[in-house]
C-alpha cells in the first residue's frame, strides 16, 4: 500500500477532511507514533480486538487487550490506541475485518504500527460516569425482582461474593465484641473477688495474732494464708487473661476494620469499572442505531476520540479492579486463617487459665483442713477487754 505515513511524519500532518465524509478529523487524535513486534501464541493470535475503520470511522483502534496474551504481556498496546499499519503497511481506509484478516495471515511475528492515544483519563470521568456509579451502588443491594420493578438493570458483577463478606465480617465483629465483653466482665468480677480474698486474709491474720489459744491462733493464721494464696491465684489469672483480651481487641479494632476498608475501596473501583462498561455499551448502541439509519455520527466520523478515551478509562479501571480484588482475596484468606486459628488458640488459653485457677483454689481450700476450731470465748473476751483498757490508759 503506497499511502503509508512514516511515524516521524505523522505528528506533523495538518488536519484534513475525510474522503467521502463531511467532518474534519478531531485534532485530539494526534498522538505519539510507534511500532511493536509481537510473537503470536499457539492459536495464531496476538490478543487484541479492533474497532472503527471504513466506512464509518477514519481510524482503526484497539478496543480491548485480552489477559495473558502476547499483547498483554508486552504491555505496549492499550485500549484506545490507533492502529495505522500492519508490518509497516498502512491500513488507512480498511475495515476492521480486513485488518484482522491481515494480522491473521501473518505467521509467527507481526509488527503493529500504532499512534498512542493522548488524553487525561480524568477527562473520561464525567458526571455521567459518577451517576452510573451511584446507580450500581444502589442496585448492588437490591433483589432482582426489586431492580426489575424499578426498571434498573443489574450488572454482571452485582451481588459480588466479596462484597457480601462485609456481612460475615460484621457477624465476626459481633462474636468478638461478645467475647471481649464477657472476658472483661469476668476480669472485673475476679478483681472484686481478689479484693475480698485480700480483706479476708488480713482479717483472719489479725484474728490469729490476737487469739490467745495456740491451736485457734494457728488455725486462723493458716486460714488467712489460704485467702492470700487465693488472692495470688486470682492475680495470676488476670495476668493470663489480659493478653487474650488484648489479642481479641486487636483483631476487632484493627484487622477487621482494615479488611472492611479494603472491601469498600474494592467495591468503589468495581462500581467505576461497571460504570465505564455501561458507558461503552451505550456508545456502541448509539453507533449501531445511527448505522442502521444510514446516518453519520459526528464523533465516529471525526476519529471517535471520546469513545476511545472511555475505552482507555475502562481498561485502567479494570486493572485497578483486578488488583484490588486480588488484595481483598488475600486479606480475607489471612483474616479467615487468623479468625479460625487465633480464636481457637485464645479460647484455649482462656479456658486453660480458668481451669488452672479453679483447680488451684480447690486444692488450696482442701488442704486448709482447720475445722472445727475450738475457741474459749470467755478467755478471748477477757484478753480483749484488758487490751482495750491498756489502750484507753
Amino acid at each position: 500500500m503506497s499511502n503509508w505515513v512514516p511515524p516521524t511524519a505523522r505528528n506533523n500532518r495538518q488536519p484534513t477532511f475525510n474522503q467521502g465524509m463531511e467532518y474534519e478529523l478531531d485534532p485530539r487524535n494526534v498522538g505519539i507514533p510507534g511500532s511493536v513486534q509481537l510473537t503470536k501464541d499457539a492459536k495464531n493470535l496476538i490478543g487484541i480486538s479492533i474497532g472503527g475503520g471504513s466506512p464509518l470511522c477514519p481510524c482503526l483502534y484497539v478496543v480491548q487487550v485480552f489477559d495473558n496474551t502476547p499483547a498483554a504481556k508486552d504491555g505496549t498496546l492499550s485500549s484506545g490506541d490507533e492502529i495505522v499499519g500492519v508490518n509497516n503497511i498502512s491500513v488507512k481506509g480498511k475495515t476492521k475485518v480486513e485488518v484482522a484478516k491481515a494480522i491473521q495471515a501473518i505467521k509467527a511475528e507481526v509488527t503493529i504500527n500504532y499512534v498512542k492515544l493522548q488524553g487525561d483519563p480524568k477527562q473520561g470521568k464525567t458526571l455521567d460516569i459518577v451517576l452510573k456509579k451511584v446507580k450500581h451502588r444502589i442496585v448492588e443491594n437490591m433483589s432482582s425482582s426489586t431492580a426489575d420493578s424499578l426498571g434498573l438493570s443489574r450488572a454482571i458483577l452485582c451481588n459480588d461474593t466479596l462484597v457480601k463478606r462485609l456481612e460475615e465480617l460484621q457477624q465476626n465483629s459481633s462474636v468478638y465484641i461478645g467475647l471481649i465483653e464477657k472476658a472483661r466482665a469476668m476480669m472485673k468480677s475476679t478483681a472484686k473477688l481478689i479484693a475480698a480474698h485480700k480483706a479476708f486474709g488480713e482479717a483472719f491474720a489479725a484474728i490469729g495474732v490476737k487469739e490467745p489459744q495456740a491451736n485457734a491462733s494457728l488455725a486462723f493464721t493458716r486460714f488467712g494464708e489460704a485467702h492470700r494464696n487465693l488472692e495470688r491465684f486470682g492475680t495470676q489469672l488476670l495476668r493470663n487473661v489480659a493478653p487474650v483480651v488484648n489479642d481479641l481487641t486487636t483483631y476487632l479494632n484493627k484487622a477487621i476494620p482494615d479488611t472492611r476498608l479494603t472491601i469498600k475501596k474494592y467495591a468503589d473501583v468495581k462500581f467505576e469499572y461497571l460504570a465505564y462498561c455501561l458507558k461503552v455499551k451505550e456508545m456502541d448502541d448509539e453507533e449501531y442505531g445511527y448505522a442502521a439509519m444510514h446516518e453519520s455520527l459526528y464523533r465516529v466520523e471525526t476519529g471517535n476520540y471520546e469513545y476511545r478515551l472511555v475505552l482507555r478509562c475502562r481498561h485502567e479501571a479494570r486493572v485497578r479492579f483486578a488488583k484490588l480484588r486480588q488484595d481483598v482475596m488475600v486479606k480475607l484468606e489471612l483474616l479467615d486463617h487468623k479468625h479460625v486459628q487465633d480464636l481457637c488458640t485464645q479460647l484455649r488459653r482462656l479456658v486453660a487459665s480458668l481451669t488452672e485457677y479453679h483447680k488451684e483454689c480447690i486444692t488450696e481450700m482442701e488442704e486448709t483442713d482447720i475445722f472445727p476450731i475450738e475457741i474459749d470465748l470467755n478467755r478471748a473476751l477477757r484478753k480483749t477487754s484488758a487490751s482495750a483498757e491498756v489502750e484507753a490508759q
Side-chain angles (χ1 to χ4, degrees), residues 5-19:
V5 180
T8 55
R10 185 171 175 81
N11 268 344
N12 298 322
R13 292 189 309 176
Q14 297 297 321
T16 58
F17 286 89
N18 303 319
Q19 295 181 355

Side-chain angles (χ1 to χ4, degrees), residues 80-98:
D81 291 343
E82 182 182 357
I83 298 175
V84 295
V86 176
N87 277 6
N88 297 323
I89 299 176
S90 174
V91 294
K92 184 177 180 180
K94 299 295 182 181
T95 66
K96 59 184 179 183
V97 175
E98 291 173 336

Side-chain angles (χ1 to χ4, degrees), residues 186-202:
M186 182 273 294
M187 292 177 70
K188 187 176 181 180
S189 301
T190 303
K192 292 180 179 180
L193 187 59
I194 290 172
H197 287 313
K198 181 180 179 180
F200 275 119
E202 293 174 351

Side-chain angles (χ1 to χ4, degrees), residues 130-352:
V130 175
L131 292 176
K132 283 179 170 57
K133 282 181 62 178
V134 173
K135 172 192 171 183
H136 285 301
R137 192 178 296 277
I138 294 174
V139 175
E140 176 77 23
N141 298 316
M142 287 185 180
S143 63
S144 299
S145 58
T146 303
D148 292 340
S149 63
L150 294 176
L152 299 174
S153 60
R154 297 173 61 81
I156 57 173
L157 294 180
C158 281
N159 287 330
D160 194 331
T161 55
L162 293 184
V163 177
K164 291 294 183 182
R165 294 295 296 274
L166 280 173
E167 298 177 5
E168 296 180 16
L169 288 179
Q170 187 60 41
Q171 293 175 357
N172 289 346
S173 298
S174 301
V175 171
Y176 277 84
I177 290 173
L179 285 174
I180 292 171
E181 289 178 350
K182 297 299 182 184
R184 285 177 175 170
M186 182 273 294
M187 292 177 70
K188 187 176 181 180
S189 301
T190 303
K192 292 180 179 180
L193 187 59
I194 290 172
H197 287 313
K198 181 180 179 180
F200 275 119
E202 293 174 351
F204 284 118
I207 294 173
V209 171
K210 294 180 181 180
E211 173 59 44
Q213 298 180 52
N215 289 339
S217 175
L218 181 61
F220 282 119
T221 301
R222 179 67 187 88
F223 203 51
E225 290 177 357
H227 279 82
R228 288 195 178 99
N229 287 335
L230 295 180
E231 175 193 355
R232 181 168 56 84
F233 298 152
T235 302
Q236 186 60 43
L237 172 65
L238 294 182
R239 290 175 180 170
N240 292 338
V241 173
V244 175
V245 175
N246 291 336
D247 288 345
L248 293 176
T249 303
T250 299
Y251 180 85
L252 175 65
N253 295 334
K254 291 185 178 180
I256 291 180
D258 180 62
T259 305
R260 185 184 292 117
L261 179 61
T262 303
I263 291 179
K264 288 183 178 179
K265 289 181 178 178
Y266 157 78
D268 184 71
V269 172
K270 183 190 77 169
F271 294 140
E272 184 171 317
Y273 171 56
L274 290 175
Y276 283 117
C277 289
L278 184 57
K279 182 65 175 178
V280 169
K281 183 179 183 304
E282 289 178 353
M283 297 179 80
D284 284 339
D285 292 342
E286 182 185 32
E287 290 182 29
Y288 296 149
Y290 273 79
M293 294 184 293
H294 303 286
E295 294 183 5
S296 60
L297 184 59
Y298 177 80
R299 65 172 171 82
V300 174
E301 292 204 354
T302 56
N304 219 356
Y305 175 83
E306 291 86 355
Y307 180 73
R308 291 161 56 199
L309 183 61
V310 172
L311 289 177
R312 175 65 57 83
C313 292
R314 183 185 68 170
H315 170 75
E316 294 183 357
R318 184 177 182 277
V319 171
R320 293 194 299 271
F321 164 71
K323 182 179 182 303
L324 270 177
R325 183 178 178 84
Q326 182 64 29
D327 291 345
V328 169
M329 292 178 68
V330 171
K331 282 194 174 184
L332 285 175
E333 183 178 353
L334 293 175
L335 199 66
D336 285 342
H337 180 75
K338 184 176 180 63
H339 171 64
V340 174
Q341 273 204 335
D342 277 17
L343 184 59
C344 293
T345 301
Q346 302 304 339
L347 289 177
R348 281 198 296 265
R349 288 173 60 187
L350 179 61
V351 172

